[in-house]
Each structure stands twice: as C-alpha cells, then as structure tokens.
Amino acid sequence: MAIVKPVRKAVLPAAGFGTRFLPVTKAIPKELLPIVDVPVIQINVEECVASGIRDLILITSRGKDALIDYFDRGAELEELLERKGKRADLEMIRRLTDLAHISAIRQAEARGLGHAVLCARGLVVDEPFAVLLGDDLVEADPPAIRQLLDVYAKYGKGVVALWEVPSGQEHLYGIVDGESVGGGVFRLHNLVEKPEPGKAPSRLSIVGRYVLPPEIFPILANTKPGQGGEIQLTDALATLCASDGLYGVRLRGERFDAGDRTGYVLAVLRYALRRSDIGAAVRAGAEKLLRKT
Ligand code: UTP
C-alpha cells in the first residue's frame, strides 16, 4: 500500500450566485437554505467532521457573510437561552461553534468552481485536501467524503465521486471513461464534459466530492477559462488525470441534488421523514396530501 500524506483539510466552495434558486438567493445564500432546520452547509461540515477532517476552508463572496456568521458564537443568543433555561438549544448552538475549525476566503469575482478551489491555495499549501459541494447531499454510512478518503489512502492519487445517471441523460453531465479495479473503484482514463448523445463512454458522472493532491493548484492556475468564461474544475481534473492519474469511486448511499428545486424538496422530505421528532407526523401529513393531489 502506498504511503500517502493524511488529508486534514477540506475546501467548501460557496461563492456562486445560486441562480437556480432565485429569487430567494438574492438575499439568502443557497448554502444556508434549511433542510428542515439545519442549513445545507452544516450538513457538509458534519460530513467532514464525521470523516475525520476538522480544518475547513469556506470560499465565500460578497453578500454571503451570513455563512461565516453562522458558525460564530452568538453571545446575546446564548445569554437569552441561558436565562430562559433552554439547555438543549444552548448545547446545540455551542456544539455548532466547536464542531470544526473554520476559515473563510473571499472569492472576489465568480470566476468558476476551479477558480474558487484555487483561492484556497494559500491555506492548503502542499497538502492533499478534500472538496465538498453543498449541492450534493449524500446520506451515507460511511459518509461520502470518507468513501473517497479510503480510496485516496489506498492509491495515493486524486479521487472523484461518481454517480450513475439514467440512461439517455449522459449528455447533461460530466462523464468519466475508466476501468474498474473492483469495489466500485475505477482508474480513470478521461473525463468528457457533456458528451454528445449516444457517445458517452459510461453512465458514471462526477458529483460534488473530491480528494485532490496539491498538484492541482498549478494546473488550475494554468487552466484557461472554459464553458461560460469560467475556470472549470473538470478541465483541470482532465489534465491531472493525464499527468498524474485519477481514480473515481461510485458512492454508496442516497444522493440528492439540493442545488435543484426538485432535488431540494426531496432532500427536505427525506431528512424530515427520518427525524425521530417529526418523522411520523410528516409521513402522515404527506400521505394525506398525496391522496388529495
Ligand atoms: P454551481 O455551478 O452550482 O453554481 O456551482 P451556483 O452559483 O452555486 O448555482 P447556480 O447553478 O447558479 O444555481 C457549484 C459550486 O461551486 C461554487 C458554488 O457556490 C457551488 O458550491 N462556485 C461556483 C464558487 O464558489 N465560485 C464560482 O465562481 C462558481
């Protein structure tokens, strides 16, 4: 087994405009939209912590300071909860601040996901690191990023998360070409962004979890703007794949595209149904609604 540096840091890009969620994203960052009462970003942070990563780097932008505030201590709120004897709420709020060590970097201009990751270079320096996109919520045990970390530890190469898309929809996604090495893991040969209908090399698309070596930074710095004038992470990954090698792992679990309206509603429903406090009532209410609709 190859000896590899441990992954101690994760980058959480959250500087996008969230246009698929307008109008609410005019005022509220997409990453703070609640899955019942927990913001999407907190679910990502908890996934990192559950996977052994506590050093987190948030990439934010103008108008999204609420994201950073969310993880700060609120002295006034704590005092109020203390006075009212709301111990459980107080514990919950405090736990949030102690969860992880969170740094933030501003992306001055929305120049794409690749550029957002490059913004973290000064804090990541020369270590391998994880990247999590809030749009992809994955309910899984072990957690999704842990599944990638295990593959990284075995092969010592960059790893991307893979998800099988329905047949005929490959042209909508970034699709990989690779060979199976067993256990849902693939050694990748190439990445094809939105292949022409009928020409996709597989049905496995790249979804929002990555473990990357620091070698991705000089590649990103030299990646020319692609689709939409943005620096695309996928373009840099294709270069990394050719120069250094890249693996993919098919995620085990339930995935929701929470960056899309339907996916978001389904994620809220799923998380609500699994809650011990409200699950039964939500199920009864939803069944009644379905009968009437
Ligand atoms: P998306 O392509 O989903 O863009 O970005 P978006 O702005 O979040 O949402 P839509 O598509 O307009 O509705 C994927 C991830 O990359 C981050 C986003 O915050 C999201 O986590 N991102 C994107 C940046 O951090 N900076 C960018 O310049 C672009």
Side-chain angles (χ1 to χ4, degrees), residues 113-291:
L113 174 59
H115 179 256
V117 172
L118 184 57
C119 288
R121 187 178 194 171
L123 288 182
V124 173
V125 195
D126 58 354
E127 294 184 32
F129 62 103
V131 179
L132 289 88
L133 306 189
D135 286 355
D136 282 300
L137 287 181
V138 190
E139 206 181 56
D141 183 17
I145 201 68
R146 182 73 254 165
Q147 296 180 31
L148 273 72
L149 290 170
D150 291 344
V151 177
Y152 177 78
K154 184 163 179 190
Y155 296 100
K157 300 283 178 193
V159 187
V160 299
L162 302 175
W163 194 260
E164 191 170 277
V165 299
S167 177
Q169 288 191 18
E170 298 90 334
H171 63 288
L172 301 172
Y173 299 90
I175 299 289
V176 300
D177 181 10
E179 64 186 287
S180 169
V181 292
V185 180
F186 296 80
R187 185 181 304 119
L188 303 185
H189 300 315
N190 201 3
L191 321 177
V192 192
E193 190 58 42
K194 303 197 170 81
E196 279 177 42
K199 295 210 171 143
S202 75
R203 279 171 51 200
L204 294 172
S205 88
I206 303 174
V207 294
R209 297 286 182 281
Y210 315 81
V211 173
L212 300 173
E215 286 75 22
I216 196 74
F217 290 126
I219 295 175
L220 280 168
N222 286 312
T223 300
K224 300 264 172 304
Q227 224 171 37
E230 298 189 335
I231 296 176
Q232 301 289 344
L233 181 60
T234 312
D235 291 344
L237 289 174
T239 307
L240 182 75
C241 182
S243 64
D244 197 52
L246 189 65
Y247 282 76
V249 58
R250 215 172 147 150
L251 289 180
R252 299 179 305 277
E254 197 70 54
R255 171 184 167 253
F256 299 91
D257 179 2
D260 159 85
R261 292 179 174 95
T262 307
Y264 173 77
V265 172
L266 292 173
V268 174
L269 187 59
R270 168 70 168 206
Y271 280 72
L273 287 171
R274 289 174 67 94
R275 290 257 299 240
S276 57
D277 54 347
I278 57 168
V282 170
R283 182 177 301 276
E287 280 170 358
K288 203 164 147 195
L289 270 179
L290 283 172
R291 280 197 298 275

Side-chain angles (χ1 to χ4, degrees), residues 13-20 30-31 107 110-113 116 133 135:
F17 287 112
T19 55
R20 281 173 295 162
K30 176 171 78 171
E31 299 76 11
Q107 186 187 19
R111 290 176 58 199
L113 174 59
L133 306 189
D135 286 355

